[in-house]
Amino acid sequence: MPDHIYKTVELTGSSKTSSDEAIRSAIERASKTIHDIRWFQVVEVRGHVDGGNVAHWQVSLKVGFTLE
């Protein structure tokens, strides 16, 4: 297996549904312009509370992709 060189970018996804959905939406959107995404790492999870309930999720993540 050859060695790989990765470039990383930081993204923030958001969702009213869940932290998982915030991650998925960030990766799906980024994959439209960033090719060969190979991994992600959650850096921070935040949220907005309204009336005692979680109203919104924000997840910051690092995404790694291979260089061509």
Side-chain angles (χ1 to χ4, degrees):
M1 182 168 122
D3 293 335
H4 290 98
I5 304 299
Y6 297 97
K7 170 85 174 154
T8 60
V9 295
E10 191 163 327
L11 307 170
T12 300
S14 63
S15 170
K16 292 182 179 179
T17 308
S18 68
S19 59
D20 186 59
E21 181 61 31
I23 293 167
R24 291 178 188 278
S25 66
I27 292 173
E28 287 173 12
R29 174 62 180 89
S31 69
K32 292 180 181 180
T33 56
I34 300 172
H35 304 288
D36 298 320
I37 294 175
R38 300 291 183 210
W39 57 266
F40 72 92
Q41 173 188 357
V42 173
V43 176
E44 183 178 17
V45 178
R46 295 181 302 278
H48 172 73
V49 177
D50 187 17
N53 296 310
V54 175
H56 206 88
W57 295 86
Q58 284 188 329
V59 180
S60 294
L61 50 140
K62 290 184 181 179
V63 174
F65 58 96
T66 54
L67 296 174
E68 295 179 358

